[in-house]
Amino acid sequence: MVTASICTIGDEILIGQIVDTNSSMISRALNAIGVKVARMISASDSKEDIFATIRHCARLSDIVILTGGLGPTKDDITKNALAEFTGAKGFVRSEEQYAIIEKVLAARGIELSDINRAQAMVPDTCKVILNECGTAPCMEFVLRREDGREYILFSMPGVPFETENALPKVIQEIISHFKMENIFHKTVCTFGIPESTLSKMIEKWEDDLPENIHLAYLPNTILGVRLRLSIYGTDKERGENEIDREIAKLRGIIGEAIYGYGESSLQEAIGKLLADKGMTVCTAESCTGGKIASLITNVAGASKYFKGSVIAYDNSIKENLLNVAHETLVRYGAVSRECVEQMAEGVRKAMNCDFSVATSGVAGPGGGSETNPVGTVWIAVSAKGKVKSLKLHFKAPRAVNIERFASHALNFLRETILEYYRNN
Amino acid sequence: MVTASICTIGDEILIGQIVDTNSSMISRALNAIGVKVARMISASDSKEDIFATIRHCARLSDIVILTGGLGPTKDDITKNALAEFTGAKGFVRSEEQYAIIEKVLAARGIELSDINRAQAMVPDTCKVILNECGTAPCMEFVLRREDGREYILFSMPGVPFETENALPKVIQEIISHFKMENIFHKTVCTFGIPESTLSKMIEKWEDDLPENIHLAYLPNTILGVRLRLSIYGTDKERGENEIDREIAKLRGIIGEAIYGYGESSLQEAIGKLLADKGMTVCTAESCTGGKIASLITNVAGASKYFKGSVIAYDNSIKENLLNVAHETLVRYGAVSRECVEQMAEGVRKAMNCDFSVATSGVAGPGGGSETNPVGTVWIAVSAKGKVKSLKLHFKAPRAVNIERFASHALNFLRETILEYYRNN
């Protein structure tokens, strides 16, 4: 099996000011072609660290992918370090990348400077892989370890969307160098059953899995518990069939807790349910402050089924735009079944939708009371006027509470749509 | 200087299904007490990898912090691996953690199972650090490298909010073991000037920096370009004074492009500006779909100045709830100066706010036209009825376009508030 290591270069990652999202993106792309990632490493913007990290990774794997440290400023030293590491005699200008630099900066309305021009210069030891949407080109080096074994070293820009854009070309280079072993994963996305309960529910199924299938639990407070089934070393069709057979059994045990497969999300699952039947949805959000709408509209094509939202943070907005009765707010307060149900129905009518979901709660850290401590949320869903609600409670920091409120609201909406479809 | 390595254990990270946010959180906490992070590494859920990673990190640093792999399910093997690695003779039950497990599961409404009970068992070689909001305790081991030098190994749960909650206790343990060297960072947050332009603007200032001050550029499409100034090995007061002197000079060059310091965000900067003067804001969002509202309400206490939003994804919502003229939509379309200015003023009046911000654009991948290709956004801001607007264009994937639209909208709002305060 071909193996790779992914190295992120940059003090800003080691110091914790930036979260590394490139490594997981690159890893997913490698996995898809059957390259196993052996290590992810972050090292500092120092020549010694870059050298040591490449050597360490080259011992562990056939491919080393560096990201970052290619910016135009003085603290970015990866390109010079790689020139020295690979014994370059000098730098040459990539005319194609130069043309892209001119185009990219013109599109951004930035004047071309010497600093930008220098980004088209690359060590004469590398093959250039063009970066179509940024100024720093990718570089590929074929190198030998101390023991004489060949490995390939890639250097990619660290700006995530530039990395993402250049990644398919790097993957293509890898495919053309190595003959890959087959691999197949399928991830089952579940929501609403806690990991340890789920583990107990499916214990027998898990024990009965064929030996060549590996199961991993991927618990996530936002996405729910995902179950990843993997087969290495089999052909794809047989692997897929074998895994699908096991998933069919799993569905018999946990049913509608499964909302999708692979990279699916609750908002995508909802989008599919609605688009398939030409139905529409809207949201009325207090404590989630637009998070649910934002998740729904992150899905391309959401305009087919999502009409809009009213974020009613202030009580006056609940009354004036969502038609919540003043009396309700006075008697029961904003964080109550009565208020959230009126919000759901109010927004659904105002936006003329089939379904709606509403939230009102206390994200914290302030605003808690004895009845409604920090972490409390009321969620209501309306299906063509039939309104249901539930109350939940979490004990997390503000941002996590908001995310959990939003994902539970989405799941409640999903369950309600499924129920509506069953009955109508 | 005391050094640390941070290791994340878990196939789910290597395979790219989960982004590691723990490492940066831990790194920030270590930095704050003057511990320098030498490496971040992700390794798989295998005993061999865990052993190799600990040994590699112990060679590089005085502290090794592991996160993850402590879950209740079969694929989590960190605890058993650590028992073997540290030569434990057996497991003992932490009565305090057991009590927490009972409490945590009761609060979540989950029945206590044998799997959960087993989480209170720890190797007899460790000191337990309680995990107050989860079931897996943290563990601390004092160990020796092959060369006889002592190092400390910590094992922490991988669920981010559990890691965050337990982190102060781990930091306290570290402080009590080592005498730290002083360090001081200050990060200057800027927005609106591209990295290479900024680098040219402040070149002379950068060249004139005292030798003991290190400058790093932290470009980020959402947060703007942040500039981190660091001093190692000086006392805090002197370091702070020295850095503040340089920042004062920087402010003279780039002025209001600076929106804050440290972990600041545009929405926090706006929140402070509004709360200080008792002013209020609301948003009307089409293409950003609630992202701006969600960012604003991520700030604790946002209810003081944020009243709400109308997410007008569908044109009918723009007309009915935001009072955009039907004529405008027909003649100019939704992605136009005319529409977005009416949205801004419409929502400001509907919600009775001092300021408002509105967006309408094409996030992609579909929906582009010759006039308004994918990545185009119109942003309008109203300050008590005085409306201004601008058009921008980005070339990124949908999610990144939405984030950029939102951060540019927030910055436009911030600049408008500053201008309003200057003139009124």
Side-chain angles (χ1 to χ4, degrees):
Chain A
M1 171 164 276
V2 178
T3 56
S5 295
I6 304 169
C7 312
T8 322
I9 307 298
D11 292 341
E12 65 271 28
I13 287 169
L14 280 186
I15 208 171
Q17 300 232 7
I18 283 178
V19 170
D20 168 30
T21 55
N22 282 337
S23 294
S24 63
M25 183 200 333
I26 295 170
S27 177
R28 284 194 298 274
L30 291 171
N31 264 285
I33 58 163
V35 173
K36 184 166 183 168
V37 175
R39 281 290 188 286
M40 293 174 179
I41 300 196
S42 293
S44 76
D45 281 312
S46 90
K47 198 175 75 177
E48 293 68 29
D49 258 17
I50 294 173
F51 286 12
T53 305
I54 296 173
R55 289 201 182 99
H56 177 75
C57 291
R59 275 195 296 275
L60 285 170
S61 51
D62 309 301
I63 302 163
V64 180
I65 300 181
L66 304 183
T67 70
L70 297 178
T73 51
K74 296 180 183 181
D75 54 316
D76 287 314
I77 62 155
T78 301
K79 195 162 68 179
N80 285 329
L82 290 179
E84 184 178 335
F85 187 81
T86 59
K89 292 194 185 68
F91 286 80
V92 290
R93 190 163 100 162
S94 162
E95 296 303 331
E96 282 169 287
Q97 187 65 45
Y98 189 80
I100 293 172
I101 292 171
E102 285 183 319
K103 214 179 69 185
V104 165
L105 292 185
R108 292 183 193 164
I110 301 169
E111 206 188 324
L112 197 68
S113 70
D114 287 346
I115 286 175
N116 303 126
R117 283 190 192 94
Q119 293 205 272
M121 302 299 291
V122 295
D124 59 13
T125 39
C126 87
K127 173 176 171 183
V128 166
I129 300 171
L130 297 176
N131 174 0
E132 306 279 354
C133 53
T135 49
C138 300
M139 296 172 281
E140 176 181 356
F141 305 87
V142 179
L143 302 170
R144 286 196 184 277
R145 308 193 295 204
E146 284 149 19
D147 66 5
R149 220 179 122 175
E150 194 180 274
Y151 68 99
I152 312 185
L153 172 67
F154 293 95
S155 165
M156 303 184 72
V159 180
F161 87 87
E162 295 180 20
T163 320
E164 187 175 10
N165 188 273
L167 191 53
K169 291 186 230 170
V170 169
I171 293 292
Q172 208 42 57
E173 289 290 319
I174 291 170
I175 287 171
S176 80
H177 267 83
F178 298 96
K179 192 176 155 56
M180 308 299 166
E181 194 189 351
N182 283 322
I183 182 181
F184 185 64
H185 303 286
K186 191 157 180 177
T187 303
V188 181
C189 309
T190 78
F191 198 94
I193 307 175
E195 185 184 5
S196 55
T197 311
L198 183 65
S199 144
K200 226 175 151 182
M201 283 172 77
I202 65 173
E203 192 174 18
K204 193 180 168 331
W205 171 82
E206 187 176 346
D207 287 340
D208 290 346
L209 280 176
E211 284 213 344
N212 60 338
I213 296 186
H214 175 73
L215 175 71
Y217 286 75
L218 313 175
N220 180 297
T221 51
I222 312 309
L223 298 169
V225 179
R226 288 168 300 157
L227 300 169
R228 191 186 65 235
L229 293 106
S230 310
I231 296 188
Y232 283 80
T234 176
D235 69 274
K236 190 171 171 171
E237 200 182 340
R238 217 173 71 190
E240 267 181 21
N241 286 339
E242 229 175 300
I243 282 184
D244 283 345
R245 211 175 307 136
E246 299 305 323
I247 289 175
K249 293 180 202 162
L250 183 65
R251 195 171 259 289
I253 306 168
I254 56 172
E256 283 184 359
I258 298 174
Y259 66 83
Y261 300 92
E263 301 290 305
S264 195
S265 62
L266 288 165
Q267 56 270 26
E268 275 171 15
I270 289 166
K272 251 177 233 160
L273 287 173
L274 294 171
D276 282 355
K277 305 234 178 180
M279 297 277 189
T280 55
V281 71
C282 57
T283 82
E285 308 183 41
S286 185
C287 58
T288 49
K291 184 76 191 173
I292 303 172
S294 181
L295 288 168
I296 291 175
T297 57
N298 267 343
V299 180
S303 57
K304 280 194 207 78
Y305 50 83
F306 176 72
K307 284 197 164 181
S309 301
V310 171
I311 316 304
Y313 225 58
D314 196 81
N315 279 351
S316 66
I317 315 299
K318 294 183 182 82
E319 287 185 49
N320 300 339
L321 275 79
L322 293 175
N323 216 17
V324 172
H326 183 71
E327 171 78 5
T328 301
L329 293 168
V330 173
R331 187 185 293 180
Y332 303 103
V335 184
S336 64
R337 177 192 296 273
E338 289 76 9
C339 175
V340 81
E341 291 194 350
Q342 287 175 39
M343 287 170 69
E345 192 52 10
V347 78
R348 198 188 66 80
K349 283 184 176 160
M351 302 208 168
N352 191 24
C353 286
D354 301 301
F355 298 98
S356 67
V357 58
T359 57
S360 187
V362 188
S369 66
E370 206 171 303
T371 327
N372 294 311
V374 167
T376 303
V377 66
W378 270 103
I379 303 171
V381 173
S382 173
K384 303 222 184 198
K386 201 180 160 203
V387 184
K388 290 193 308 180
S389 56
L390 58 82
K391 187 183 189 177
L392 293 171
H393 186 247
F394 302 97
K395 286 183 177 177
R398 179 180 181 85
V400 179
N401 278 337
I402 292 174
E403 288 186 322
R404 290 192 162 187
F405 294 170
S407 54
H408 280 267
L410 286 169
N411 194 53
F412 190 32
L413 173 63
R414 181 184 73 91
E415 289 173 347
T416 305
I417 296 171
L418 285 171
E419 193 192 346
Y420 178 87
Y421 287 174
R422 268 200 309 274
N423 299 335
N424 290 278
Chain B
M1 172 166 275
V2 178
T3 56
S5 295
I6 304 169
C7 313
T8 323
I9 307 299
D11 292 341
E12 64 271 29
I13 287 168
L14 280 185
I15 208 171
Q17 299 231 8
I18 283 178
V19 170
D20 168 30
T21 54
N22 282 337
S23 294
S24 63
M25 184 202 329
I26 295 170
S27 177
R28 284 194 298 275
L30 291 171
N31 264 285
I33 58 162
V35 172
K36 185 166 184 168
V37 175
R39 281 290 188 288
M40 291 175 181
I41 300 195
S42 293
S44 77
D45 282 312
S46 88
K47 197 175 75 177
E48 293 67 29
D49 260 17
I50 293 172
F51 285 11
T53 305
I54 296 173
R55 288 200 182 99
H56 177 75
C57 291
R59 275 195 296 275
L60 285 169
S61 50
D62 310 301
I63 302 163
V64 180
I65 301 181
L66 304 183
T67 71
L70 297 178
T73 50
K74 294 179 184 182
D75 53 315
D76 288 314
I77 62 155
T78 301
K79 194 161 70 180
N80 284 329
L82 289 180
E84 184 177 334
F85 187 81
T86 59
K89 292 194 186 69
F91 286 80
V92 290
R93 188 161 102 164
S94 162
E95 296 304 330
E96 281 169 287
Q97 187 65 45
Y98 189 81
I100 294 171
I101 292 171
E102 285 184 319
K103 214 178 71 186
V104 165
L105 293 184
R108 293 183 193 163
I110 301 168
E111 206 187 323
L112 197 69
S113 70
D114 287 346
I115 287 176
N116 303 127
R117 284 189 192 98
Q119 293 205 272
M121 302 299 291
V122 295
D124 58 14
T125 39
C126 86
K127 173 176 170 183
V128 166
I129 300 172
L130 297 176
N131 174 358
E132 305 281 354
C133 54
T135 49
C138 301
M139 296 171 281
E140 175 182 357
F141 304 86
V142 179
L143 302 170
R144 285 196 183 277
R145 309 194 295 206
E146 284 148 19
D147 67 5
R149 218 178 123 176
E150 193 179 274
Y151 67 100
I152 312 186
L153 171 67
F154 293 95
S155 165
M156 302 183 73
V159 180
F161 86 88
E162 295 181 19
T163 319
E164 187 176 9
N165 188 274
L167 191 52
K169 292 186 229 170
V170 169
I171 293 292
Q172 208 44 56
E173 289 290 319
I174 291 170
I175 287 172
S176 78
H177 266 85
F178 298 96
K179 193 177 153 56
M180 308 297 166
E181 196 189 349
N182 284 322
I183 183 182
F184 184 64
H185 304 286
K186 191 157 180 177
T187 303
V188 181
C189 309
T190 79
F191 199 94
I193 308 176
E195 185 183 5
S196 55
T197 311
L198 182 66
S199 145
K200 226 175 150 182
M201 283 173 76
I202 65 174
E203 193 174 18
K204 193 178 166 334
W205 171 82
E206 187 176 347
D207 287 340
D208 290 347
L209 280 176
E211 284 214 344
N212 59 337
I213 296 186
H214 176 73
L215 175 71
Y217 286 75
L218 313 175
N220 181 296
T221 51
I222 312 309
L223 297 169
V225 180
R226 287 168 302 158
L227 301 168
R228 190 185 66 234
L229 293 105
S230 310
I231 296 188
Y232 283 80
T234 177
D235 69 273
K236 190 171 172 173
E237 200 183 342
R238 218 173 71 190
E240 268 182 20
N241 286 340
E242 230 175 301
I243 282 184
D244 282 344
R245 213 176 305 137
E246 299 305 324
I247 289 175
K249 295 180 202 162
L250 183 67
R251 194 171 260 288
I253 308 168
I254 56 173
E256 283 183 0
I258 299 174
Y259 66 83
Y261 301 92
E263 300 290 308
S264 196
S265 63
L266 288 165
Q267 56 272 25
E268 275 172 13
I270 289 165
K272 253 178 231 159
L273 287 174
L274 294 171
D276 282 354
K277 305 235 179 181
M279 297 277 188
T280 55
V281 72
C282 57
T283 82
E285 308 184 41
S286 185
C287 58
T288 48
K291 185 76 192 176
I292 303 173
S294 182
L295 288 169
I296 291 175
T297 56
N298 268 343
V299 180
S303 57
K304 280 193 206 79
Y305 49 84
F306 176 73
K307 283 197 167 181
S309 301
V310 170
I311 316 303
Y313 225 58
D314 196 81
N315 280 351
S316 66
I317 315 297
K318 294 185 183 80
E319 287 186 50
N320 299 337
L321 275 78
L322 293 175
N323 216 17
V324 173
H326 182 71
E327 172 76 7
T328 301
L329 292 169
V330 173
R331 186 184 293 181
Y332 304 103
V335 184
S336 65
R337 177 193 296 274
E338 289 76 9
C339 174
V340 79
E341 290 193 350
Q342 287 175 39
M343 287 170 69
E345 193 50 12
V347 77
R348 198 188 65 80
K349 282 184 178 160
M351 301 207 168
N352 190 26
C353 286
D354 301 300
F355 300 97
S356 68
V357 59
T359 57
S360 186
V362 189
S369 68
E370 208 172 300
T371 328
N372 293 311
V374 167
T376 302
V377 65
W378 270 104
I379 303 171
V381 173
S382 172
K384 302 222 184 199
K386 200 178 160 204
V387 184
K388 291 194 307 181
S389 56
L390 57 83
K391 186 183 189 177
L392 293 170
H393 187 247
F394 302 96
K395 285 183 176 175
R398 180 181 180 83
V400 180
N401 278 337
I402 292 173
E403 287 186 322
R404 289 192 162 188
F405 295 170
S407 53
H408 281 267
L410 285 170
N411 194 52
F412 191 32
L413 173 63
R414 181 185 72 91
E415 289 172 348
T416 305
I417 296 171
L418 285 172
E419 193 192 346
Y420 178 86
Y421 287 175
R422 268 200 308 275
N423 299 335
N424 290 276

